[in-house]
């Protein structure tokens, strides 16, 4: 026998059960996106390398999956590069296309390419796989879905309010308790400004984040090691011990950032978002978290992140505002704000908290046992009626032993088994067995529909 | 300004309108698949080249998109192959993975890889994009979706009956009038057998297919040119002029194929399918078509194809039975039968016949005009209530001029516009304008929900 086939490392097959759960996740998110007026687009898996390269840093360029040109891919490859096996400089000679690395760059490309057909503000969502040649490890895949919603062409902070409300609605539907953490890039800039260490923002946010784990003193030691002056560390102290309600945090921040125009602007922005969000009485806690710094170079205003409360897990959603999505493609001045849902992590959270609704794994509602061709033909007639009533059903295709057919029904988790034998053929009825209670009874087709519809 | 970005030739962006239509198509097909007990799987976009190569013929191998190995992809490339620019033999040195070319080979690989977890018969459906480095032309893309349903692990012809019934249901839901054409590979073998020209089957089916266009005499000339003897041509005559009801056709065929065991078996099989299908009173015509020969080398039993009646278009669905799906991966004896829906062609048919239901292009139901922060906050409260009732809505994020906001509503096809100004703030009401009638009236939120729910 040939070797058992396999799939590339870091990729996955999804079984019917996994697909049912994934569909539940994506369908839930999609229905909320639609409720908030977002519209779906899709872009090709392959983009020109000229679109992708240089957008994710040097490391990102390496992680792009590149597609070998069709036909004679070596025809434009210079002899000297081949002779020296200069694989780096040969890449663009043998490959013009790559698989998308995320949904953001293709979206930016889409907006620029279709600018004349788009109504601004443009509220789009997109749910598609992306590919990264990362080293595969637990929870990190080379193919995974991203699930993004963005509004571009509007500076209004009401977009942030809507996005926070949308996140709340999504996780309410999932039954996952969350906290939504908010920050603002301008607050981080302000902090850097007042302590005179603009290049230390990442170190500072990392330090703030560690307070709970290692304590204030150790954090201060770390900050000193990173090169912060004692004066800067002293100035930072109120920030490191920031606590209490959002209002109390704001009071501390406002005093700390009093001299920074940028910092005060950031506070004003985040207050606007929080005020409006508070008025909506969301289910989730929404709180200021000045240690939040994701994608620092990318975001220019609001930064947000979502953590599940009842399970240990990295952020399950996040996003923020950016100033110039499309500048890199020659279209300046387009601001936007967006969020992304981490489908794989949400999948894990729902699994570990066992939160899937019972009907997620909707399989066939009823299977008809096959007693032979004549009976099967009668079953097909009944099935047409059940299906017209929206009841999913199937006929075991072979007239195998009863045990084998029942095993199939069990393995597939089918809750009802229907039997049409001689008696039923004569009376035009069907015997239905409830697989969980073991009860079995004879029904007319109309009665059967009533029974199975519920 | 930088050059306007573009996408690789043969690929497509899908706009919100196109996505709404495509979602309608896939959702309709999926719901029918579920009604018939099929379960969804997904496989990775990338497969090992060892899985893909050699499965689609020499031409197919060339049309596979190959992915350049990560890192130093030249490290296993022999110097002499590089020096001679032997791009063909270098392929497997620089590339280990390719993009899937169809859903059938990945499905076969899936079945073998997960054989121990699968309950046979396994009824799976799969809707995913595939990639082919074909020369792009009108209606032929390098990335397109396939939409397949298969039953493997069962020889029963009841599977064919179910699939024909399923096709009928899908196109009934679309409102597309179709004819389902059936043939059987064994009938074609039988014909080859009785005229003593087993290698001429393709020529013969092509000829039969041309009868209506060029007439019997010209077809016979063609057949003679292809090397058929006069005796063979005479024997074929009743086949070429096959007409009438399915019963009449069968009578002719049975007499023609009386000496072929294989041929008679084929007739028996197709009769079983037709008898059972006829008893189901389908909406579609189901007819025998002995000129049907798609994928001759692949199919071993039933062959079927679907044509739209009211529009000129190639087949919009097709499939058949195969004997040994998984043999190439070392697992013999697994028979199956499957069908595939041509999503792009169905898209075109629905467009040209204008058959999309009115609510396909469901966009936001109501947009709230933005008169300023205070009014906006009240709008957000109302919107929370509307959304709780399942009504999609959005707030224009900027307090722009009325005209601009109305233009946005128009461009997005939003049917209702809601306004909350000073009066409405005081009375807790909302003014709603019906964009198609121009009517405008003031409502309480409860009344508004009633109005918009319908």
């Amino acid at each position: 026998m040939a070797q058992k086939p396999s799939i590339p490392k870091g990729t996955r097959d999804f079984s019917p059960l996994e697909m049912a759960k994934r569909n539940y996740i994506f369908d839930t998110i999609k229905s909320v996106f639609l409720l908030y007026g977002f519209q779906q687009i899709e872009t090709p898996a392959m983009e020109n390398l000229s679109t992708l390269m240089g957008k994710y840093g040097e490391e990102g360029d390496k992680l792009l999956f590149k597609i070998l040109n069709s036909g004679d891919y070596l025809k434009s490859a210079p002899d000297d590069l081949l002779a020296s096996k200069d694989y780096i400089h040969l890449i663009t000679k043998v490959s013009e296309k790559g698989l998308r690395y995320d949904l953001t760059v293709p979206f930016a490309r889409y907006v620029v390419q279709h600018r004349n057909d788009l109504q601004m503000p443009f509220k789009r969502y997109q749910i598609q796989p992306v590919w990264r040649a990362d080293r595969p490890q637990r929870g990190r895949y080379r193919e995974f879905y991203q699930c993004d919603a963005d509004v571009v062409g509007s500076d209004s902070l009401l977009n942030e309010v809507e996005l926070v409300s949308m996140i709340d609605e999504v996780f309410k539907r999932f039954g996952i308790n969350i906290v939504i953490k908010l920050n603002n890039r301008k607050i981080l800039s302000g902090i850097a400004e007042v302590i005179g260490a603009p290049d230390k923002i990442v170190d500072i946010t990392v330090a703030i984040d560690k307070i709970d784990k290692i304590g204030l003193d150790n954090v201060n030691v770390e900050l000193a090691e990173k090169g912060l002056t004692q004066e800067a560390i002293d100035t930072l102290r109120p920030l490191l011990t920031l606590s209490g309600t959002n209002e109390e945090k704001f009071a501390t921040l406002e005093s700390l950032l009093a001299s920074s125009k940028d910092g005060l602007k950031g506070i004003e922005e985040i207050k606007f978002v929080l005020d409006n969000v508070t008025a909506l009485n969301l289910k989730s806690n929404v709180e200021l978290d000045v240690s939040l710094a994701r994608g620092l170079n990318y975001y220019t205003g609001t930064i947000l992140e979502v953590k599940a409360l009842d399970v240990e897990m990295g952020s399950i959603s996040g996003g923020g505002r950016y100033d110039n999505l499309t500048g890199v493609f020659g279209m300046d001045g387009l601001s936007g704000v967006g969020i992304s849902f981490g489908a794989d992590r949400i999948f894990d959270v729902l699994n570990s908290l066992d939160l899937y609704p019972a009907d997620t794994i909707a399989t066939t509602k009823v299977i008809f046992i096959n007693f032979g061709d004549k009976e099967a033909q009668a079953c097909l007639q009944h099935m047409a009626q059940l299906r017209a009533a929206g009841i999913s059903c199937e006929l075991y295709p072979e007239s195998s032993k009863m045990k084998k057919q029942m095993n199939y029904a069990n393995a597939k988790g089918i809750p009802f088994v229907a039997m049409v034998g001689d008696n039923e053929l004569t009376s035009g009825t069907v015997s239905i067995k409830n697989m969980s209670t073991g009860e079995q009874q004879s029904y007319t087709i109309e009665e059967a529909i009533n029974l199975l519809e519920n």
Side-chain angles (χ1 to χ4, degrees), chain A:
Chain A
M1 198 183 99
Q3 206 189 338
K4 198 172 170 182
S6 62
I7 50 178
K9 61 180 176 179
T11 69
R12 290 168 288 176
D13 283 327
F14 294 110
S15 70
L17 177 63
E18 289 163 329
M19 280 310 298
K21 291 178 172 182
R22 291 172 67 84
N23 283 336
Y24 165 70
I25 293 171
F26 290 126
D27 289 348
T28 301
I29 296 175
K30 280 170 79 164
S31 61
V32 175
F33 284 166
L34 292 174
L35 204 55
Y36 281 73
F38 286 78
Q39 298 182 307
Q40 189 172 14
I41 67 162
E42 279 190 7
T43 61
M46 299 186 279
E47 294 274 354
N48 292 320
L49 276 186
S50 56
T51 299
L52 299 175
M53 299 278 279
K55 309 302 189 298
Y56 308 104
E58 211 172 308
E59 198 50 38
D61 281 352
K62 286 185 199 154
L63 299 185
L64 292 170
F65 280 110
K66 286 125 196 146
I67 293 169
L68 208 54
N69 293 338
S70 302
D72 182 359
Y73 54 89
L74 289 180
K75 66 170 179 280
S76 315
D79 293 337
D80 58 329
L81 293 184
L82 283 172
S84 60
K85 292 196 172 186
D86 184 348
Y87 69 95
I88 293 174
H89 290 98
L90 273 170
I91 283 182
T92 54
K93 310 292 178 186
V94 302
S95 168
E96 286 171 356
K97 294 182 287 286
L99 296 180
R100 68 174 161 252
Y101 179 90
D102 69 4
L103 302 180
T104 305
V105 167
F107 174 50
R109 192 267 309 146
Y110 179 96
V111 168
V112 176
Q113 192 176 331
H114 303 281
R115 58 210 292 178
N116 296 328
D117 306 320
L118 297 181
Q119 187 65 31
M120 292 294 168
F122 181 47
K123 300 170 75 170
R124 89 86 170 78
Y125 79 87
Q126 192 169 354
I127 301 177
Q128 293 192 274
V130 302
W131 295 270
R132 297 180 185 180
D134 247 323
R135 194 176 301 276
Q137 57 184 52
R138 201 179 134 68
R140 193 204 281 164
Y141 304 101
R142 292 185 146 192
E143 174 182 63
F144 58 98
Y145 272 74
Q146 288 195 335
C147 181
D148 289 9
D150 289 78
V151 188
V152 292
S154 165
D155 295 328
S156 167
L157 292 165
L158 289 168
N159 295 304
E160 273 88 335
V161 176
E162 283 278 84
L163 288 175
V164 169
S165 162
M166 192 158 84
I167 289 171
D168 179 70
E169 180 67 26
V170 164
F171 289 104
K172 198 164 71 182
R173 292 185 181 204
F174 285 139
I176 298 177
N177 297 315
I178 56 161
V179 56
I180 302 173
K181 298 179 170 195
L182 288 182
N183 199 7
N184 192 298
R185 174 69 170 91
K186 297 186 181 95
I187 291 179
L188 296 174
S189 307
I191 293 170
E193 194 183 330
V194 297
I195 65 168
D199 56 326
K200 293 290 189 299
I201 265 299
V202 173
D203 294 331
I204 293 169
T205 56
V206 168
I208 300 174
D209 201 36
K210 280 189 184 167
I211 285 276
D212 288 344
K213 278 190 212 134
I214 65 174
L216 180 62
D217 290 345
N218 289 320
V219 163
N220 281 340
V221 169
E222 260 191 31
L223 287 173
E225 282 168 9
K226 297 282 182 190
L228 252 67
T229 64
Q230 191 54 46
E231 196 191 342
I233 290 175
D234 289 342
T235 312
L236 267 184
R237 184 176 302 269
L239 196 69
L240 298 182
T241 54
L242 203 61
S243 67
T245 63
N246 286 330
E247 286 68 28
E248 288 161 352
K249 289 180 185 172
F250 280 128
T252 309
L253 268 183
E254 274 167 357
S255 120
L256 180 74
L257 299 179
S259 65
S260 164
K261 201 179 138 194
D262 227 21
L264 292 178
K265 176 74 179 155
I267 296 175
E268 185 193 322
E269 289 187 7
I270 212 166
K271 271 187 161 175
F272 179 91
V273 174
L274 273 172
D275 282 350
N276 276 280
V277 163
T278 305
L280 289 173
N281 262 319
L282 301 185
K283 180 169 181 296
S284 321
N285 286 325
V286 184
E287 63 182 39
L288 173 68
D289 180 350
V290 290
S291 74
L292 195 62
R294 41 184 300 142
L296 194 63
N297 295 321
Y298 180 62
Y299 294 121
T300 52
T302 303
I303 305 171
L304 65 84
E305 195 167 273
V306 177
K307 300 273 279 182
L309 290 178
D310 307 322
V311 61
E312 200 63 42
M313 178 76 67
S315 74
I316 52 179
S317 177
R321 176 171 288 278
Y322 38 85
D323 257 357
N324 198 354
L325 176 72
T326 51
V328 70
F329 295 117
M331 180 182 177
D332 275 326
L334 203 65
S335 167
V337 55
I339 56 170
S340 187
F341 289 90
D344 286 311
R345 285 186 174 170
I346 293 172
F347 181 89
D348 289 342
V349 172
L350 291 172
N351 270 337
S352 69
L353 299 177
D354 196 16
L355 289 175
Y356 289 101
D359 63 353
T360 303
I361 322 304
T363 175
T364 307
K365 191 73 174 274
V366 54
I367 183 163
F368 282 74
I369 297 297
N370 190 330
F371 291 112
D373 283 351
K374 190 178 55 167
E375 292 85 355
Q377 198 169 36
C379 290
L380 289 173
Q381 302 285 334
H382 297 330
M383 288 159 64
Q385 287 187 265
L386 295 190
R387 286 171 179 154
I391 297 160
S392 65
C393 51
E394 59 183 287
L395 168 68
Y396 195 84
E398 323 270 349
S399 54
S400 311
K401 284 192 181 132
M402 188 68 170
K403 186 166 185 309
K404 191 172 178 189
Q405 299 191 45
M406 293 302 270
N407 281 349
Y408 174 87
N410 269 321
K412 220 172 158 179
I414 299 176
F416 293 95
V417 171
M419 280 155 289
V420 177
D422 278 344
N423 289 341
E424 288 83 3
L425 272 183
T426 311
S427 58
T429 58
V430 53
S431 281
I432 296 181
K433 179 172 181 172
N434 179 325
M435 293 292 272
S436 56
T437 65
E439 266 180 281
Q440 183 174 330
Q441 205 181 313
S442 182
Y443 298 92
T444 65
I445 298 308
E446 291 69 28
E447 289 168 346
I449 289 174
N450 267 331
L451 171 75
L452 298 168
E453 260 179 346
N454 303 313

